[in-house]
Amino acid sequence: MEKIFYPLTQRRLRADAHIRELTASVKLSHKCFIQPLFIDESIHMPRNVNGLPGIQVDTIHSVLETISDCILNGINKFLLFPVPAYKTDLNFDFSFAVSVVKNIKEFFGDEVWMAADLCLCSYTTHGHCGILNDDHSQLVNHKTVEVLTKYAVQLANAGVNCIAPSDMMDGRIAAIRSVLDALGKDHVTIMSYAAKFSSQFYGPFRDACHSAPGSHGIKNRKTYQLSPLNINDALASTLRDEKEGADILMIKPAALYTDVIARLKQQTLKPLAAYHVSGEYAAIEALAEKDLVNREAAHLEVWTALTRAGADIIISYAAKNAKEWIDKMEY
Ligand code: PBG
């Protein structure tokens, strides 16, 4: 007798929301989210950011309210971007960033976890992430690392939990780690912007931080940020940062680089952070505004993709909504 042929069905696992929820291989949690915060010394009232609905640039005072709102929504981890009022190219003054950190620490104590972005792009007149040579044709690596290390020490003394260097100079992780350790700051974490690609998708951020590279000298960041064409460099640079002492390794942008997240997951035991950057966030918001996507569902789909690829931590401008959206997520 001939055998009856049953098709190999997979659809039973998709039959209803209960079984889809039960068998999901990705579980999201708001506990893994970090909310970026912009704080500008030159403003007296919070201002909106072009392209980033729902996000504002805060004053040193209004940021306390923004943080309180996040806490009410279950988010207590932050990445700070302090923007100084005055630009310079050599004698940098980090006192505003220090005051921001101290203020937040004084107000919230250990209720919040604070990482601070460490870079010079919002400090320099030319908008590059480091110090330029005389004819503005090159970034001077070691001098930049020296300045960043001093900045890191000031932030650590002010009470930051984590330093997040985003400049992409060589050797900065080792330099910062050894100086922090020598000063008894061995408990301060380093989250390295390790696989940080040269990208179009930082546009709204640069607008918020006044940090776009200017018109004189080198015009873009391609001599220090990674080429999207070179995944080997991304892997090598990230593993180098791990060896130098980075505790958390970041991939940025996130959604366009899930292949990098997945490859790194196989090669390191360190936690991976995916930064869904300003332009990626803005793209979803622009679609949502035109009613072409469901805003919440679109962000949840991106977060799912990042987690599936291997991200342990997600940095998102919509982090403050993560708890609410995840709790009522439709399976
Ligand atoms: C500073 C920095 C940038 C971002 C984070 N830190 C911009 C850049 O490198 O030009 C981008 C974040 C975002 O777009 O959300 N170097």
Side-chain angles (χ1 to χ4, degrees):
M1 224 176 76
E2 224 175 276
K3 245 174 129 186
I4 301 167
F5 176 71
Y6 292 102
L8 292 172
T9 184
Q10 283 289 122
R11 286 192 46 218
R12 267 192 295 276
L13 295 181
R14 305 171 207 156
D16 59 45
H18 296 302
I19 192 99
R20 289 194 293 272
E21 181 179 81
L22 192 64
T23 59
S25 56
V26 167
K27 316 275 183 198
L28 295 177
S29 166
H30 67 282
K31 295 180 184 179
C32 314
F33 278 76
I34 298 177
Q35 176 71 49
L37 299 171
F38 300 116
I39 311 100
D40 187 339
E41 185 181 14
S42 68
I43 58 175
H44 301 291
M45 293 271 290
R47 66 173 167 85
N48 295 330
V49 188
N50 199 4
L52 302 184
I55 295 297
Q56 65 179 28
V57 179
D58 276 303
T59 69
I60 191 168
H61 306 295
S62 69
V63 73
L64 301 178
E65 214 172 298
T66 302
I67 293 174
S68 296
D69 278 351
C70 287
I71 293 173
L72 285 176
N73 287 307
I75 297 296
N76 53 10
K77 306 172 190 78
F78 302 93
L79 176 57
L80 307 181
F81 293 98
V83 184
Y86 300 101
K87 308 272 184 190
T88 176
D89 289 336
L90 255 192
N91 297 310
F92 298 97
D93 176 1
F94 301 118
S95 55
F96 175 67
V98 166
S99 313
V100 169
V101 171
K102 279 189 175 159
N103 237 25
I104 296 174
K105 194 80 204 163
E106 239 165 61
F107 203 85
F108 294 101
D110 290 338
E111 201 180 343
V112 301
W113 181 89
M114 240 189 309
D117 182 84
L118 189 79
C119 194
L120 296 181
C121 61
S122 61
Y123 288 86
T124 54
T125 58
H126 45 69
H128 280 291
C129 301
I131 294 166
L132 291 181
N133 64 354
D134 290 341
D135 67 3
H136 282 199
S137 62
Q138 300 263 359
L139 266 94
V140 190
N141 196 97
H142 294 325
K143 235 187 187 170
T144 302
V145 170
E146 232 178 86
V147 173
L148 287 172
T149 305
K150 287 186 185 146
Y151 186 9
V153 168
Q154 292 189 36
L155 291 168
N157 285 337
V160 90
N161 301 91
C162 173
I163 303 279
S166 69
D167 55 291
M168 294 300 280
M169 295 302 109
D170 285 329
R172 86 259 208 237
I173 302 299
I176 294 166
R177 185 72 274 160
S178 68
V179 171
L180 289 181
D181 288 358
L183 294 172
K185 298 286 175 195
D186 45 295
H187 54 282
V188 175
T189 307
I190 297 180
M191 173 165 67
S192 164
Y193 285 71
K196 177 176 179 181
F197 290 87
S198 170
S199 171
Q200 285 301 308
F201 288 83
Y202 306 147
F205 173 95
R206 290 179 187 171
D207 202 45
C209 289
H210 310 303
S211 66
S215 51
H216 51 306
I218 35 175
K219 295 195 173 33
N220 56 50
R221 306 205 201 286
K222 288 186 183 185
T223 64
Y224 46 106
Q225 298 183 346
L226 295 164
S227 163
L229 297 165
N230 194 343
I231 190 169
N232 290 333
D233 189 13
L235 301 177
S237 299
T238 305
L239 297 175
R240 185 265 325 256
D241 283 5
E242 175 179 9
K243 268 200 207 110
E244 287 190 18
D247 304 289
I248 302 171
L249 303 168
M250 190 202 295
I251 298 92
K252 169 190 175 203
L256 295 170
Y257 296 87
T258 49
D259 58 327
V260 180
I261 300 175
R263 289 277 293 276
L264 281 169
K265 199 67 189 169
Q266 305 298 321
Q267 298 199 34
T268 177
L269 297 175
K270 295 288 181 199
L272 299 179
Y275 193 158
H276 194 232
V277 297
S278 59
E280 294 179 299
Y281 171 89
I284 292 181
E285 297 297 313
L287 284 168
E289 208 151 283
K290 289 189 156 57
D291 262 335
L292 294 171
V293 299
N294 175 300
R295 179 179 186 229
E296 292 183 30
H299 282 290
L300 285 165
E301 188 173 336
V302 169
W303 298 343
T304 301
L306 303 181
T307 308
R308 203 177 55 236
D312 304 284
I313 297 165
I314 295 175
I315 304 165
S316 166
Y317 292 95
K320 59 189 169 195
N321 305 299
K323 185 170 186 327
E324 186 195 331
W325 292 355
I326 291 168
D327 281 351
K328 63 180 174 72
M329 177 166 156
E330 285 177 21
Y331 282 86

